[in-house]
Amino acid sequence: MPGMQDQLMQLAVIFGTMHLVKKAGLESPEYAPFIRAMYGTATAVILALTFYIKSLVQKGNDTTALEYDDAAPGSQQGRVVTTVAKYDLGEVAKLQKSTLFTTAIVLFMHFKFGYIQPLILQSLLPLLNLYKNQLFQIHLLGKPATDSLKRPWVAENPFAALTGAVGADSAATAAAATAATASDGDASSSGSETETRKDK
């Protein structure tokens, strides 16, 4: 049941954060510079850790043979023959790309539409996801590559279908935060219009 627990934890973080943002009034423009700095710091930490993990993989250079069937959607590669080091480097590259992709989405939503919630969510969830990531568990925490950490790794998060990487959670939660913000904004606008009609 660990996968289900992780999903429930992420949902709790998402809705709990959105509730606190509303209650504390963090959507006010005066807080924007601090929230941007927090998001930038979190993203920089994640990217720095991925480069550090990459250096550890390259330094260890584990040439143990690894064979598996490529089950990725749309893949026609079939049987894959590689080494542990090459496999891990490929996973690091996926993580870095998904992080940059998500960053682009979040920044676009923030500067184009003024959304604050995605910045806050993406300052928290990606760090949580990175901690649970197999690369982090093996290379930074020193856990053996057995059981759920045995290669090849299968994404267990509920949003894996979006991008097929750890950053999928980030993209999905950003979208969730945006939808919630837009919904709240529509509700507020409708309420204002109703009050206006009553005043008339």
Side-chain angles (χ1 to χ4, degrees), residues 31-162:
Y31 294 112
F34 303 101
I35 295 174
R36 288 170 189 160
M38 179 177 69
Y39 174 69
T41 300
T43 303
V45 168
I46 291 172
L47 288 175
L49 286 173
T50 61
F51 279 107
Y52 180 58
I53 292 173
K54 181 179 180 179
S55 70
L56 292 177
V57 174
Q58 292 174 328
K59 183 178 180 180
N61 192 27
D62 189 344
T63 57
T64 302
L66 178 64
E67 294 186 34
Y68 62 94
D69 292 322
D70 189 1
S75 175
Q76 302 186 11
Q77 193 168 357
R79 191 70 177 172
V80 177
V81 180
T82 184
T83 65
V84 168
K86 289 181 179 179
Y87 178 83
D88 286 6
L89 288 175
E91 293 300 306
V92 171
K94 289 180 183 178
L95 179 54
Q96 291 174 332
K97 289 178 181 178
S98 64
T99 299
L100 293 174
F101 174 74
T102 302
T103 299
I105 293 177
V106 171
L107 292 179
F108 173 78
M109 290 191 297
H110 174 63
F111 288 106
K112 179 70 174 180
F113 304 108
Y115 294 134
I116 293 293
Q117 287 181 343
L119 290 179
I120 299 176
L121 282 172
Q122 300 317 304
S123 298
L124 303 175
L125 280 176
L127 291 173
L128 176 62
N129 291 333
L130 181 62
Y131 175 77
K132 296 183 298 181
N133 184 266
Q134 294 93 335
L135 291 167
F136 187 96
Q137 294 284 315
I138 293 173
H139 295 288
L140 292 183
L141 299 185
K143 293 185 178 181
T146 58
D147 298 326
S148 62
L149 298 180
K150 184 178 180 180
R151 302 174 181 85
W153 302 318
V154 178
E156 296 181 353
N157 66 76
F159 309 115
L162 291 178

